[in-house]
């Protein structure tokens, strides 16, 4: 029996790796879950739970003992497509500061104001003259509220430095994304390089992460606390890098001592034993329950590191309920990890691979197109604050599409039928302003006189739902932005008449 178990174990491990040509591009070798002590049924249960409770999970990757035991992308999201990280960007910024400290370019006790002699500081100055890099890293700047730049703010560093402090730095935890921006600004002043360029040689290239896009402020400084775009596997690579205490492929890239500091509790952020947002905060890493820690970003971008299980879980999503998504991880995936390899389950493993390869976000629930009561045509819109002049429907063509004519120009939204079709919005549909141009859309008749289009911003957690209600020659159009950062809000109802 022991010989049979060993043969099955290694055969299953090898069989999963062998036929996958895409693996040549991946860092993590693939393995059957049971070979790494993970229960396949539990991964299937996790997929069931997130699909039943959320309609916004975009990807999942589970790494155990350095092997990928499960990875999947809900269409239209894809393996190679970068995804906006929101505040998960902060953990990469912290990593850059770690490298700079290691190279003697910075110290945790350096005064923040010492890097900005050209800026005016706020009140009281005795507080400002005590704020250190350490305080930026731990969100202990002394602010009671964070101040965000708006579209008219040209000097972000001055906005931060000119604000008033309510507490002595180092004494009051307040999550503050602009503190992370200041880390990026300090790094650029200390090194002469943008954050993304500095990290490229030290982290991205060694970890084989393609140099990513990272948004910048008007002064050309990477935003630091947000704005990074990377792939799901890149999230997992960062997690594995930290799990290995800064070591990668036999080289100690980042000092072990820094990794331990960054990922341990540096400050208290609450005392609720049931909350993963009250277990303590490190250097831009959150402490979790169950001996884990994480980097996370709004809408459910997660890099969960589980040292006791030697595991990484990477997730991208668009949920406003990050706590509940993390709770599903603890309830389903955590108990699935056992200390020793398990007996192979090839039939269940094959079912899991089939499931993972066919993930898809919900489509429009369509009635029979034979019931639809509209013929194609163009509707002239009444004056509106969306600058939308007309909407043209071409839904009966072989490739359905809708043409939006705005003051800025014209966009065509291509619509998949029973699938998502990718395209671009150059002049921006309503609600896509300042977001990524690539979209993926699905459309269908939700009722005989209501056509619905679901549009995913392909590199973003955001989704837009357009509903078009036809009443004779009249059109009523509504736009709903589903974005956890902004909540769900409705564009005012727009009306039009058939030309």
């Amino acid at each position: 029996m022991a010989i049979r178990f060993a043969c099955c174990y290694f055969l299953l491990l090898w069989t999963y790796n062998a036929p996958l040509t895409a693996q040549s591009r991946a860092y993590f070798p693939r393995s059957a879950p049971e070979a790494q002590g993970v229960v396949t049924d539990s991964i299937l249960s996790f997929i069931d739970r997130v699909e039943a409770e959320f309609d916004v999970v975009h990807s999942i990757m589970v790494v155990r003992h350095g092997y990928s035991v499960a990875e999947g992308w809900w269409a239209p999201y894809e393996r190679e497509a970068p995804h906006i990280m929101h505040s998960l960007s902060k953990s990469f910024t912290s990593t850059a500061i770690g490298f700079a400290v290691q190279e003697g370019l910075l110290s945790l006790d350096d005064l923040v104001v010492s890097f900005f002699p050209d800026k005016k500081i706020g009140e009281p100055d005795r507080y400002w003259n005590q704020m250190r890099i350490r305080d930026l890293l731990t969100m202990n700047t002394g602010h009671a509220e964070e101040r965000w730049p708006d579209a008219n703010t040209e000097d972000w560093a001055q906005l931060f430095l000119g604000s008033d402090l309510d507490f002595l730095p180092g004494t009051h935890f307040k999550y503050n994304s602009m503190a992370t921006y200041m880390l990026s600004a300090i790094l650029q002043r200390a090194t002469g390089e943008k954050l993304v360029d500095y990290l490229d040689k030290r982290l991205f290239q060694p970890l084989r992460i393609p140099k990513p896009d990272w948004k910048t402020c008007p002064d050309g400084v990477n935003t630091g606390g947000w704005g990074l775009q990377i792939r799901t596997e890149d999230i997992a690579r960062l997690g594995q890098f930290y799990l290995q205490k800064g070591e990668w492929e036999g080289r100690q890239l980042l000092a072990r001592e820094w990794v331990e500091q960054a990922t341990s509790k540096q400050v208290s952020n609450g005392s609720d034993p049931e909350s993963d947002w009250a277990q303590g905060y490190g250097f831009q890493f959150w402490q979790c329950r169950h001996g884990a820690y994480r980097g996370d970003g709004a809408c459910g971008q997660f890099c969960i590191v589980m040292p006791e299980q030697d595991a990484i879980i990477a997730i991208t999503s668009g949920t406003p309920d990050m706590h509940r998504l993390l709770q599903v991880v603890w309830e389903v995936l955590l108990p699935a990890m056992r200390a020793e390899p398990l007996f192979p389950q090839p039939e269940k493993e094959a079912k899991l691979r089939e499931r993972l390869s066919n993930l898809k976000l919900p489509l429009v629930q369509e009635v029979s197109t034979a019931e639809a009561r509209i013929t194609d045509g163009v509707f002239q819109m009444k004056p509106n604050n969306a600058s939308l002049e007309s909407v043209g429907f071409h839904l009966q063509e072989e490739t359905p599409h809708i043409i939006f004519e705005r003051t800025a120009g014209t966009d065509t939204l291509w619509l998949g039928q029973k699938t998502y079709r990718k395209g671009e919005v150059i002049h921006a549909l309503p609600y896509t302003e300042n977001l990524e141009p690539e979209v993926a859309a699905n459309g269908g008749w939700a009722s005989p006189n209501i056509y619905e289009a679901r549009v995913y911003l392909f590199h973003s957690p955001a989704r837009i739902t357009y509903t078009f209600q036809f009443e004779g020659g009249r059109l009523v159009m509504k736009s709903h932005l589903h974005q956890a950062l902004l909540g769900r809000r409705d564009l005012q109802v727009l009306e039009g008449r058939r030309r």
Side-chain angles (χ1 to χ4, degrees), residues 93-112 114-116 132-134 136-137 182-193 195 198 258:
T93 302
S94 168
T95 303
I97 297 298
F99 280 115
V101 169
Q102 178 173 284
E103 294 169 8
L105 301 173
L106 297 174
S107 163
L108 289 177
D109 290 324
D110 285 343
L111 291 173
V112 172
S114 69
F115 294 92
F116 303 94
R132 303 179 187 276
I133 288 178
R134 182 190 307 274
L136 298 177
L137 284 165
M182 293 301 293
L183 291 171
S184 177
I186 287 171
L187 184 83
Q188 186 161 326
R189 291 203 171 198
T191 67
E193 292 185 276
L195 171 62
Y198 182 79
W258 174 269

Side-chain angles (χ1 to χ4, degrees), residues 295-477:
D296 74 29
C299 317
Q301 324 315 313
F302 283 116
C303 177
I304 304 167
V305 183
M306 305 164 67
E308 295 175 9
Q309 290 75 28
D310 191 29
I312 305 295
I313 299 174
I315 297 173
T316 61
S317 71
T319 178
D321 196 347
M322 294 170 62
H323 173 81
R324 188 157 60 95
L325 180 55
L326 196 53
Q327 184 64 29
V328 177
V329 171
W330 303 142
E331 291 176 1
V332 182
L333 292 181
L334 177 62
M337 298 181 185
R338 309 297 168 79
E340 301 293 335
L342 304 171
F343 195 82
Q345 301 287 339
E347 292 184 1
K348 291 181 179 180
E349 195 269 340
K351 180 180 177 182
L352 173 63
R353 301 306 157 197
E354 177 70 16
R355 184 80 179 274
L356 288 168
S357 65
N358 290 288
L359 297 173
K360 182 183 294 184
L361 290 174
L363 303 170
V364 174
Q365 296 299 306
E366 189 173 26
V367 301
S368 170
T369 55
E371 299 178 40
R373 299 173 184 168
I374 179 183
T375 57
D376 288 347
V378 177
F379 288 77
Q380 187 70 41
M381 306 304 293
K382 293 182 179 180
N384 57 80
N385 63 5
S387 301
L388 186 62
E389 297 178 350
S390 70
V391 182
F393 295 92
H394 304 266
L395 306 177
Q396 298 176 6
E397 297 187 12
E398 184 176 350
T399 305
H401 58 282
I402 301 172
I403 297 177
F404 295 85
E405 185 178 352
R406 302 185 71 200
T407 304
T410 300
D411 270 312
T412 300
L413 180 65
W414 298 97
L415 298 156
Q417 295 178 296
K418 299 182 180 179
T419 187
Y420 285 95
R421 182 183 174 100
K422 290 185 0 184
E424 288 194 357
V425 287
I426 300 171
H427 300 289
L429 309 181
Y431 267 153
T432 64
E433 296 89 343
N434 302 316
L435 297 174
E436 296 301 315
E438 291 187 73
V439 300
N442 162 250
W445 289 97
S447 74
N449 68 327
I450 296 178
Y451 190 87
E452 181 176 312
R454 286 193 174 200
V455 182
Y456 284 90
L457 286 302
F458 194 55
H459 300 287
S460 165
R463 182 184 93 227
I464 304 168
T465 301
Y466 297 108
T467 57
F468 305 94
Q469 183 171 349
F470 302 94
E471 301 172 356
R474 179 171 173 261
L475 168 67
V476 178
M477 172 184 168

